[in-house]
Amino acid sequence: MTDRTAQESFLDDFARLSSFGATAGGGVERLAGSPEHAQLREWLAGRFVAHGFTAHFDAIGNLFGLAELVPGAPFVLFGSHTDSQPLAGRFDGAYGVLTALHAASRVVDDHRRAGSAPTYNIAIVDWFNEEGARFKPSMMGSGVFTGKLTLADALATRDPAGTSVASALRSTAMHGDFTSPPLAAYGEIHIEQGRSMDAAGVTIGAVDATWSAYKYEVVVHGEQGHTGSARMSDRRDALLGAAHLVTAVHDLIEHFEVDELHTSVGEFTVAPNSPVTIAREVRLLADLRAETTGLLDEAFAHLESRIAEIEQRTRTRIEIVSRSVWRSGPFLQGGIRLIERSAAAHGFSQGRVKTLAGHDATNMKDMIPTLLAFIPSVDGISHNEREFSTDADMLAGLSVFEDVVRELSTNGMPE
Amino acid sequence: MTDRTAQESFLDDFARLSSFGATAGGGVERLAGSPEHAQLREWLAGRFVAHGFTAHFDAIGNLFGLAELVPGAPFVLFGSHTDSQPLAGRFDGAYGVLTALHAASRVVDDHRRAGSAPTYNIAIVDWFNEEGARFKPSMMGSGVFTGKLTLADALATRDPAGTSVASALRSTAMHGDFTSPPLAAYGEIHIEQGRSMDAAGVTIGAVDATWSAYKYEVVVHGEQGHTGSARMSDRRDALLGAAHLVTAVHDLIEHFEVDELHTSVGEFTVAPNSPVTIAREVRLLADLRAETTGLLDEAFAHLESRIAEIEQRTRTRIEIVSRSVWRSGPFLQGGIRLIERSAAAHGFSQGRVKTLAGHDATNMKDMIPTLLAFIPSVDGISHNEREFSTDADMLAGLSVFEDVVRELSTNGMPE
């Protein structure tokens, strides 16, 4: 168990971390590459150094802290992200970065005090733009790091105001030329963002699989006209077509069992968006998530037939501009059992959970041995200022994650 | 009939006028108070002066041209507007301003050449912000002029980027301290923006009534959450509620005969509008239009019961923040017959039409005797770059409007 001084130091740092971009509603707003995000990372890089790590930015704005205890040996890496959605909670991502820092620094300090060395060197990371709220796609920093997205494409991405990632990184001094040494394993801890652990009274979750997700970028094409004078039967109203599409995406869940399929439209932009003009175009992002891609394929087949109906009914054209697929996949049994063993040793209640949200660990697990642990979110509320996890749960996660760092740096990912 | 030189001069000016804010698609984009709009009005004020009028801005950015032929006598006023929707047509409003200028200058020139005088002085106007695309509400300049909106409220209105009307007028030098002399009548000519005249082969329309309109500003309240991990049954998705509302507003027409009711949602803004966050709020503007307020009341009663269903079904709260009412009303028989007499004398086909769109004349007719004439819109297309009226129809309108200016300035509005 992490001792009381260490616990207080963690909670002090968490309070300080939560002050960057703090909102009146008790949450935070730190869009990737914003001034608030830059201020936080300047502070965080200072904390890395104070805890005995060297701090480095790479070209896509990932912030690394390195403690090289065994010259030339591969590293094990731990982290999460500090950017947020608009009007978001203070736990999402930030909890994992701070836990990685405190857990890793305890292990590093122990070695330095004892004059001992682990098998692997220890690094921590704050990934750039996990949220994708300002710059799409989400999980950008880990996407570039794992080669799923090219650096050039990521840097060229623009926010709705036209600012590119390259320009945002330059103006906030969030980039550098760091390139990673070889990595042996990656570990991340995060809040659940769902209610299953909170409902079941589980303190520590070992994530055993990610859900699959299909993400669609859709353009509904209509024709501009006057909202007052155009005959109803002549209109080709892109907003009406898009509204039918939003309800159709939602109603896909009726073809499946409860909680088997999650669907949503989160981004929805109307042009020209003028009070007396019929919309010529709506751009929207729809996503479908389920445990298997088979179920998603079935859901999409239903959606396709609905799209044809909607086009005919509203005289609009619905174009699927792009589809991205996150494939589900299991996490390694060795990582799951390591989390479970540690939780049991501390006497914390535990369970296996699936992650329905994407995480940087979802990218990393396709590259190197990776584990992901969860602590509960009260009432499952997330991407909301009312997102909450208790101090007790945060500290339980910190204790488990210290064991994780110790084990991975000593033995690598267990079989 | 306006002579050939005068016709060519009109068409030349119309081509020049269409070049301000011209778009690649053959339309214009001149949002109220934009640089393109300011450039046009600088040119237009010059044309006023070249045609023998003095040019003046009032405090809300209406641009007036005065020809005082009878010192101290009241004025008759003619005009329309030059601001546009985004990616709009080049005829809407602009045609009426230029026709007012050319028709009025012909009458003024005739008097000056003959040394004669009309009964009333002659003025022309380019109203500020008829469209309401950038600053709400629409018909702002004539609204302030007729006392339907206070100057202070209008100046304080902000566009989505936070710029106030006061600031836009200041930065484009579009304001002044002009106050209007007493007015005896107002006349306006406009494109129909609907297809009834084009379909019936009518060249000159005498507008006999405006439709009524109810305009609602609505906020759909939901709760932010994670699109991936929140359980479907826990979500309070403002976008889903708003999508149901858009289809419900549309489906109101099914309670009525074809073409009795027009409904639409033109503006629709989602917060936070992030790919992986459930919308906490959607703000939208809905409008219902029909000939009578009785029919609109009946339509709204249907909508209210649908709103209750949607709130329950989507766990959102739908708040009607404001309702504005444009009451229908007839235009004066004397004005209608004046337009008809002139069209008949020129041998143009003619008919009575209703205006479903609002116009500055709709405001003016509640203050002083007002007439409104229409020329056809090909296929009824409007608020669209493909909006089109033929040269022949524009020139027919110019001939009729010259008669209108001559009659109103000599005898006032006929009984």
Side-chain angles (χ1 to χ4, degrees):
Chain A
M1 179 83 69
T2 317
D3 66 36
R4 186 161 300 268
T5 315
Q7 291 183 340
E8 278 168 13
S9 159
F10 174 86
L11 293 174
D12 285 351
D13 270 359
F14 189 73
R16 177 73 179 107
L17 199 160
S18 303
S19 72
F20 294 97
T23 61
V28 297
E29 180 156 317
R30 292 189 300 250
L31 300 189
S34 66
E36 297 75 21
H37 190 211
Q39 285 154 16
L40 180 155
R41 298 181 107 196
E42 191 185 340
W43 171 83
L44 185 64
R47 298 304 293 159
F48 284 9
V49 172
H51 281 286
F53 293 77
T54 57
H56 314 266
F57 279 107
D58 71 7
I60 191 57
N62 297 315
L63 172 61
F64 292 86
L66 302 190
E68 189 162 18
L69 304 166
V70 194
F75 279 72
V76 284
L77 181 67
F78 307 95
S80 191
H81 64 94
T82 55
D83 68 311
S84 87
Q85 293 287 323
L87 295 182
R90 54 195 197 274
F91 302 87
D92 182 351
Y95 167 69
V97 172
L98 199 66
T99 301
L101 169 61
H102 278 254
S105 79
R106 294 267 297 175
V107 175
V108 169
D109 287 350
D110 285 352
H111 282 297
R112 284 183 172 148
R113 258 196 304 270
S116 61
T119 310
Y120 299 105
N121 289 302
I122 297 176
I124 48 188
V125 63
D126 170 18
W127 300 108
F128 179 70
N129 188 29
E130 193 269 351
E131 293 291 354
R134 177 180 176 193
F135 300 107
K136 284 174 283 191
S138 57
M139 312 198 309
M140 180 178 276
S142 57
V144 170
F145 189 84
T146 55
K148 297 186 171 196
L149 182 67
T150 70
L151 175 63
D153 284 350
L155 289 175
T157 303
R158 289 179 189 277
D159 69 11
T163 304
S164 68
V165 167
S167 158
L169 291 176
R170 224 173 13 246
S171 68
T172 52
M174 278 194 189
H175 64 117
D177 57 4
F178 176 77
T179 55
S180 175
L183 298 179
Y186 175 72
E188 181 166 351
I189 187 164
H190 205 281
I191 57 166
E192 186 192 5
Q193 303 181 279
R195 71 178 346 161
S196 79
M197 292 171 62
D198 186 45
V202 166
T203 301
I204 298 295
V207 178
D208 59 3
T210 60
W211 267 26
S212 294
Y214 285 179
K215 301 195 168 199
Y216 300 94
E217 190 180 349
V218 182
V219 180
V220 181
H221 299 275
E223 184 165 49
Q224 266 190 223
H226 193 294
T227 57
S229 55
R231 268 196 204 166
M232 297 302 287
S233 56
D234 287 339
R235 299 184 183 196
R236 297 175 51 223
D237 183 344
L239 178 53
L240 181 65
H244 278 290
L245 184 59
V246 168
T247 65
V249 166
H250 177 270
D251 294 348
L252 291 174
I253 63 173
E254 291 165 9
H255 295 282
F256 302 93
E257 297 296 315
V258 172
D259 294 338
E260 269 193 333
L261 175 69
H262 283 191
T263 71
S264 78
V265 177
E267 194 170 279
F268 186 102
T269 306
V270 180
N273 209 28
S274 179
V276 292
T277 297
I278 296 161
R280 71 172 175 275
E281 182 182 288
V282 175
R283 302 187 80 89
L284 60 89
L285 290 168
D287 63 58
L288 312 183
R289 303 185 195 224
E291 197 165 343
T292 66
T293 53
L295 193 146
L296 293 179
D297 289 334
E298 195 184 332
F300 182 66
H302 289 295
L303 185 61
E304 271 188 314
S305 69
R306 286 300 311 278
I307 283 175
E309 285 167 33
I310 295 167
E311 288 183 317
Q312 190 163 15
R313 178 170 178 179
T314 62
R315 296 174 297 282
T316 56
R317 187 165 62 82
I318 298 178
E319 179 189 8
I320 296 181
V321 176
S322 73
R323 183 177 87 154
S324 56
V325 174
W326 296 357
R327 279 188 198 290
S328 61
F331 281 86
L332 299 170
Q333 288 299 313
I336 295 166
R337 282 194 298 263
L338 166 55
I339 295 165
E340 289 174 336
R341 272 199 309 278
S342 165
H346 291 289
F348 301 137
S349 60
Q350 48 163 301
R352 296 192 179 190
V353 290
K354 296 189 194 317
T355 176
L356 282 62
H359 292 292
D360 295 305
T362 320
N363 276 335
M364 293 300 288
K365 86 189 216 318
D366 295 338
M367 186 170 92
I368 54 172
T370 289
L371 65 77
L372 176 60
F374 276 171
I375 62 166
S377 297
V378 173
D379 291 334
I381 294 168
S382 186
H383 286 188
N384 185 305
E385 292 170 304
R386 296 195 297 110
E387 180 182 273
F388 188 68
S389 295
T390 64
D391 285 358
D393 287 344
M394 288 204 287
L395 294 172
L398 176 60
S399 294
V400 168
F401 211 68
E402 186 180 326
D403 294 345
V404 164
V405 172
R406 211 172 289 278
E407 178 65 20
L408 294 192
S409 60
T410 306
N411 297 317
M413 188 69 72
E415 289 296 305
Chain B
M1 180 78 73
T2 315
D3 66 34
R4 186 161 300 269
T5 315
Q7 291 182 340
E8 279 169 12
S9 159
F10 174 87
L11 293 174
D12 285 351
D13 270 359
F14 188 74
R16 177 72 179 105
L17 197 161
S18 304
S19 71
F20 294 97
T23 61
V28 296
E29 180 157 318
R30 294 189 299 251
L31 299 191
S34 66
E36 297 76 20
H37 190 214
Q39 285 154 17
L40 180 155
R41 298 181 108 197
E42 190 184 341
W43 171 83
L44 185 64
R47 298 304 293 157
F48 283 10
V49 171
H51 281 287
F53 294 76
T54 56
H56 314 267
F57 278 107
D58 72 5
I60 191 57
N62 297 314
L63 172 60
F64 291 86
L66 301 190
E68 189 162 18
L69 303 169
V70 196
F75 280 73
V76 284
L77 180 68
F78 306 95
S80 192
H81 64 94
T82 56
D83 68 309
S84 88
Q85 293 287 323
L87 295 181
R90 55 194 197 275
F91 302 87
D92 182 351
Y95 167 68
V97 172
L98 200 66
T99 300
L101 169 62
H102 279 254
S105 81
R106 293 268 297 173
V107 176
V108 168
D109 287 350
D110 286 351
H111 282 297
R112 284 182 172 149
R113 260 196 304 273
S116 61
T119 310
Y120 299 104
N121 289 303
I122 297 176
I124 47 188
V125 62
D126 171 18
W127 301 108
F128 179 70
N129 188 29
E130 193 270 351
E131 294 290 356
R134 177 180 176 194
F135 299 108
K136 282 172 283 189
S138 57
M139 310 198 309
M140 179 178 277
S142 57
V144 170
F145 189 82
T146 55
K148 297 186 172 197
L149 182 66
T150 70
L151 175 62
D153 283 352
L155 290 174
T157 303
R158 288 178 188 278
D159 69 9
T163 305
S164 68
V165 167
S167 159
L169 292 176
R170 225 174 13 246
S171 68
T172 52
M174 278 196 190
H175 65 116
D177 56 5
F178 176 76
T179 54
S180 175
L183 298 178
Y186 176 73
E188 180 165 351
I189 189 164
H190 206 280
I191 57 167
E192 185 191 8
Q193 303 181 279
R195 71 176 352 160
S196 78
M197 293 171 61
D198 187 45
V202 165
T203 301
I204 298 294
V207 177
D208 60 1
T210 60
W211 268 27
S212 295
Y214 285 179
K215 301 195 167 198
Y216 300 93
E217 189 181 350
V218 182
V219 180
V220 181
H221 300 275
E223 184 164 52
Q224 263 189 226
H226 192 294
T227 58
S229 56
R231 268 197 203 167
M232 296 302 286
S233 56
D234 286 339
R235 298 183 184 197
R236 297 175 51 223
D237 183 343
L239 178 54
L240 181 64
H244 278 289
L245 184 59
V246 168
T247 64
V249 166
H250 177 271
D251 294 348
L252 290 175
I253 63 174
E254 291 165 9
H255 295 282
F256 302 93
E257 296 298 314
V258 171
D259 293 339
E260 270 193 331
L261 175 71
H262 283 191
T263 70
S264 78
V265 176
E267 193 169 280
F268 185 102
T269 306
V270 180
N273 210 27
S274 179
V276 291
T277 296
I278 296 161
R280 70 171 176 275
E281 181 183 288
V282 174
R283 303 187 80 88
L284 59 90
L285 289 170
D287 63 57
L288 312 183
R289 303 184 197 225
E291 198 168 341
T292 65
T293 52
L295 194 145
L296 294 179
D297 289 334
E298 195 184 332
F300 183 66
H302 289 296
L303 185 60
E304 272 189 313
S305 69
R306 289 298 313 278
I307 284 176
E309 284 167 35
I310 295 167
E311 288 183 318
Q312 190 164 18
R313 180 168 177 180
T314 62
R315 295 173 298 280
T316 56
R317 187 165 61 83
I318 298 178
E319 178 189 7
I320 297 181
V321 176
S322 73
R323 182 177 89 157
S324 56
V325 174
W326 297 356
R327 279 187 198 289
S328 61
F331 280 87
L332 299 171
Q333 287 299 314
I336 294 166
R337 283 194 298 261
L338 166 56
I339 295 165
E340 289 175 337
R341 273 199 308 277
S342 165
H346 290 289
F348 302 137
S349 60
Q350 48 163 300
R352 297 192 179 190
V353 290
K354 295 189 195 319
T355 176
L356 282 64
H359 293 292
D360 295 306
T362 320
N363 276 336
M364 292 300 287
K365 88 187 215 319
D366 294 338
M367 187 171 92
I368 55 172
T370 289
L371 65 75
L372 177 61
F374 276 171
I375 63 167
S377 297
V378 174
D379 291 336
I381 293 168
S382 186
H383 286 188
N384 186 306
E385 291 170 305
R386 297 195 296 111
E387 180 182 272
F388 188 67
S389 296
T390 66
D391 285 357
D393 287 342
M394 287 204 288
L395 294 172
L398 175 60
S399 294
V400 168
F401 211 66
E402 186 180 328
D403 294 345
V404 164
V405 172
R406 210 172 289 280
E407 178 64 19
L408 293 193
S409 60
T410 306
N411 297 316
M413 187 68 71
E415 288 296 304

